[in-house]
Amino acid sequence: MNRLLLTLALLPLLAAPGARAADVPPRNLHLVGDHWTAWDPPVPPPDAQVHVIEPGDTLWDLAARFSGDPYLWPQLWERNQYILDAHWIYPGDPLVVGVEVVPVDTLAELVDVVEEPVEPLANGEDDAGGGDGIRSAAEAASGPQPLGTESDIYCTGYVGELEREFPHTIVGSEYEALTPFIEIAGRAGAGDRGLRFGGTTVKYGLMSGDVVYLDGGRGAGLAPGEVFTVVSPEDTVRHPVRDEVVGRFYRYRGRVRVLSVQQDTAIAEIVHTCDPIFVGSLLEPFEPEPVPLGRRTAMRPVNLPAPEEALTDAAVILRAEDDIFTLAEDSLVYIDRGADAAVVPGDVYTIYRLNKPGLPPIVLGELAVLSVHDRSSVARIVRSRYTVYVGDRLEEKQ
């Protein structure tokens, strides 16, 4: 029998600072041919390009090797839907990494698009969209691509109300159990010794695999298998334009899964960590979110910016991830629009900076929305001509 080899598909979780590998491996391993796997791989199509997974492979690395861009790993996963958990792939399983590609020039003949971008509209003909939606033949032929990564969604956070209620809290861990120590008891010099128990904590920063205790159980409606996001309230957030407190930043630290419940408590395991988790951390129900896809289109022409008056009450970049000051492509930011303003994942905004009085705004780049909350959204800067800052204005790209 071959030795079991497991490969942790790190995906782009490792591409973000502080991100770590996710959930524990599946336990339903079985023998398929000459190797062990948790999945049921089908026979690949006869015309497919197939790679047999090797020890050390990850979807992230394989996407870089076969597609030229590691951020295209979701497309690789989509071609191999027998893999039910993208965090785990197994040596010996077949992976379809390529299909027959239609050249762009050939595809351009089949669709009604122009070979070059359309000329920008003349002044006065566009007061809202500018060059939004202009596509070259290459852009039209290319498929939608991921706008971010899983860690951009699950290891960031959101700007919410200053004070809010959370349904549950982590109230303890296995590392806080009473530990024995020897103590000299009795009168001084008597030499009496006794075994005593204390509550010394031997580990504070908790990680994946650690067992914790929750402040709710059967009586609070908890059930085994429920998953919660671990949340840490942090600093207050001031609006960079209006200079007023608009809420508090709540950071995601990971996830826990309930293992068993008692009447008033529950035992849970940390199954994903972005940052160390501590006793006292707050919990909210985990909601899976797919990474939104988008098709790359031409940016707003720099010679046709939106008028300054259109940006007076526009959305703004509210906060940057990790309080980074200077921002560029791939930087994560939070904008001051959310579900309350009908924002949805995949929305794209043109980034502007107001110019000196009498001069038009400057087109800086674009950002794409990845995750939407009540009053804010997480976004990634996908294009930048110049350095971007907190407080720069945004106009939705139609």
Side-chain angles (χ1 to χ4, degrees), residues 11-325:
L11 306 179
L13 294 177
L14 296 183
R20 296 177 178 85
D23 305 331
V24 296
R27 293 186 172 91
N28 57 330
L29 298 177
H30 55 280
L31 194 61
V32 175
D34 61 352
H35 69 282
W36 290 85
T37 179
W39 316 130
D40 297 308
V43 176
D47 58 347
Q49 181 183 1
V50 178
H51 169 77
V52 178
I53 297 171
E54 301 174 353
D57 281 347
T58 67
L59 293 184
W60 173 263
D61 293 332
L62 293 175
R65 185 194 309 176
F66 293 104
S67 302
D69 186 348
Y71 285 99
L72 298 183
W73 67 264
Q75 295 185 16
L76 188 59
W77 185 23
E78 184 179 2
R79 292 192 194 120
N80 299 272
Q81 298 186 17
Y82 73 88
I83 301 175
L84 302 182
D85 185 341
H87 293 101
W88 296 93
I89 58 178
Y90 295 82
D93 278 356
L95 198 73
V96 175
V97 296
V99 294
E100 184 180 355
V101 178
V102 178
V104 169
D105 293 340
T106 303
L107 185 60
E109 299 173 359
L110 305 177
V111 294
D112 186 17
V113 295
V114 294
E115 193 63 37
E116 298 296 333
V118 178
E119 288 296 323
L121 297 176
N123 289 331
E125 290 187 34
D126 186 349
D127 60 357
D132 294 351
I134 297 176
R135 291 187 291 168
S136 67
E139 292 168 341
S142 64
Q145 299 183 2
L147 298 174
T149 68
E150 286 185 344
S151 62
D152 295 337
I153 296 174
Y154 297 135
C155 286
T156 48
Y158 59 94
V159 178
E161 298 177 359
L162 276 176
E163 304 295 335
R164 54 161 305 189
E165 296 291 331
F166 289 83
H168 299 290
T169 304
I170 296 176
V171 294
S173 78
E174 286 188 327
Y175 297 101
E176 292 182 326
L178 299 182
T179 54
F181 63 93
I182 295 180
E183 178 185 68
I184 297 177
R187 295 175 299 159
D192 295 336
R193 293 177 180 272
L195 192 62
R196 301 291 186 269
F197 287 85
T200 303
T201 299
V202 296
K203 182 178 181 181
Y204 290 94
L206 306 174
M207 306 294 289
S208 295
D210 289 339
V211 172
V212 295
Y213 305 101
L214 313 186
D215 66 346
R218 192 178 302 107
L222 284 181
E226 288 190 77
V227 179
F228 292 89
T229 298
V230 182
V231 182
S232 175
E234 296 190 356
D235 55 300
T236 57
V237 179
R238 300 189 70 88
H239 197 281
V241 176
R242 303 196 301 266
D243 192 28
E244 62 185 25
V245 174
V246 294
R248 184 179 303 281
F249 179 65
Y250 295 88
R251 181 175 299 281
Y252 292 150
R253 291 191 170 270
R255 294 195 294 274
V256 300
R257 179 183 290 118
V258 177
L259 300 178
S260 63
V261 296
Q262 298 76 48
Q263 181 58 32
D264 298 315
T265 59
I267 301 174
E269 179 187 11
I270 298 175
V271 294
H272 175 226
T273 49
C274 307
D275 290 300
I277 294 172
F278 300 93
V279 172
S281 295
L282 304 172
L283 303 176
E284 63 183 21
F286 169 69
E287 297 182 4
E289 295 185 60
V291 177
L293 302 178
R295 190 187 300 273
R296 191 177 180 90
T297 60
M299 194 167 66
R300 177 89 182 216
V302 298
N303 64 316
L304 286 177
E308 181 177 353
E309 55 270 22
L311 302 176
T312 302
D313 297 318
V316 303
I317 297 177
L318 186 62
R319 187 184 193 277
E321 181 69 0
D322 297 324
D323 290 325
I324 296 174
F325 182 67

